[in-house]
Amino acid sequence: MDYRTMVNPTYLTAKSTVFMLAIADNEDAKRMIAGLGLQETLSKRDPSDTLVSEADAKALMTGVTVAIEARYAALSETLKKEGYKNLLDIACGYTPRAIFCKKNGISYAGLDVPVVAEELQSFADKEGLGKVYFGGDATNAASLNAAADGLEGEVLISCEGLLGYLSLSEFEQFLDGIRQILENHSGAFVTSDLGVKYEPFAKANMSDPDAYDASRKRTMKQSDIYNDGVGRMDREKVKAFIEARGFKVETLPFYHADENLSMLQAIPERWQEKYLDLLKNACVWKMTLDPNYTQKALVSGAEKIENLTVDYKTNGGALEMTVSGRIDTISAPAILKVFDECGDGISSVKVKAQELEYISSAGLRTMMIMVKKLGQGNVTVEGASDDIKEIFTVTGFDGIIPLL
């Protein structure tokens, strides 16, 4: 059993981007699908597992594909216009960006959760792209730095699609890693996650847009995601949050009128108008270090990639785990491994968290997996610090997992 896939709900949908780019006639995406043997992936999905009609599903997919194609083009345009020769692509997912960079003489490093990075690197090896994919966690500064270490000179850091999932505490850890990289390499961080609202693209031409909201809500619940990430928060508040941590924020165009987006050319004119309005009103956020910022970092990020220890003992059906360090995407599978290996005789779990420094959504999701198996009230956390308790509270998990 690969516990790494269990703590990452986006893993199951991460391949959608490369398929949408292929629909938009991106030849590199088609090459990647063939190279990874993904042709049958979408056909395995249950078509009945949806709350939207077939016509609305087509409209939804068209709108999202327009946005994804434009997002891919926007980063390509930024790389070319600003002349960067190094790209660190955080939460790179299954996009053909490594192929694009190879063709354009740009050094590339893509970071994603380990299970994704391993599969992508196998493709890179077959394609002769070199070592370009790295397993890590966006909230783990040490893993971000390790991925950037092979890049020499100014670095453009990109992150697309992730910020809609990161809580504010995770985003703060993420920004700490970005800051460290820019201090070591100089450059900039860009993302469209804070300047593009993807739901309007999805719903623009649906006859029943409320069905999208219901479908999204169900998907979030199935993935144990209980709160929206910073990508869906008030933009001005997020901007102030970023600036308070030593960054300058500016915006760049998300769409250029001279771009020849294949999806726009292939859809009815009445649909085009709605999408064009959305494209023109979207933007890319660009962040650089504020030279006048002198305040000490507000958080202490990960100093090591793997920094969790788990000691445990059982007493009858009670499992007691003592955790020390950080629980994130990299380390969370270790907790599931202990839980699974202790067997079906376990009826309760107590996590002693006196020495727990940080827990990400992957860690919370790990707790939820145990709750689903044992029942609410049978998984508890003891001795957590106020900072850890706040993470449980903000995400709503304190109503599911008692904090002792």
Side-chain angles (χ1 to χ4, degrees), residues 359-377:
I359 184 168
S360 74
S361 58
L364 296 174
R365 204 165 295 112
T366 298
M367 304 284 183
M368 194 63 195
I369 290 171
M370 296 189 290
V371 169
K372 286 183 175 179
K373 184 170 183 179
L374 302 180
Q376 193 164 335

Side-chain angles (χ1 to χ4, degrees), residues 78-125:
T78 301
L79 280 164
K80 292 177 179 178
K81 185 175 181 179
E82 304 209 2
Y84 281 97
K85 293 300 179 183
N86 295 289
L87 176 65
L88 174 60
D89 193 5
I90 299 173
C92 60
Y94 294 80
T95 74
R97 185 62 67 185
I99 301 173
F100 169 87
C101 286
K102 181 77 171 180
K103 291 179 177 178
N104 288 276
I106 299 168
S107 296
Y108 176 84
L111 180 135
D112 213 304
V113 296
V115 66
V116 172
E118 289 174 11
E119 184 175 13
L120 292 173
Q121 187 56 47
S122 68
F123 167 77
D125 290 340

Side-chain angles (χ1 to χ4, degrees), residues 31 116 214 220:
R31 173 180 166 187
V116 172
M220 294 274 284

Side-chain angles (χ1 to χ4, degrees), residues 318-331:
L319 168 62
E320 181 179 281
M321 284 190 269
T322 300
V323 295
S324 176
R326 296 168 57 94
I327 305 178
D328 56 25
T329 298
I330 301 168
S331 60

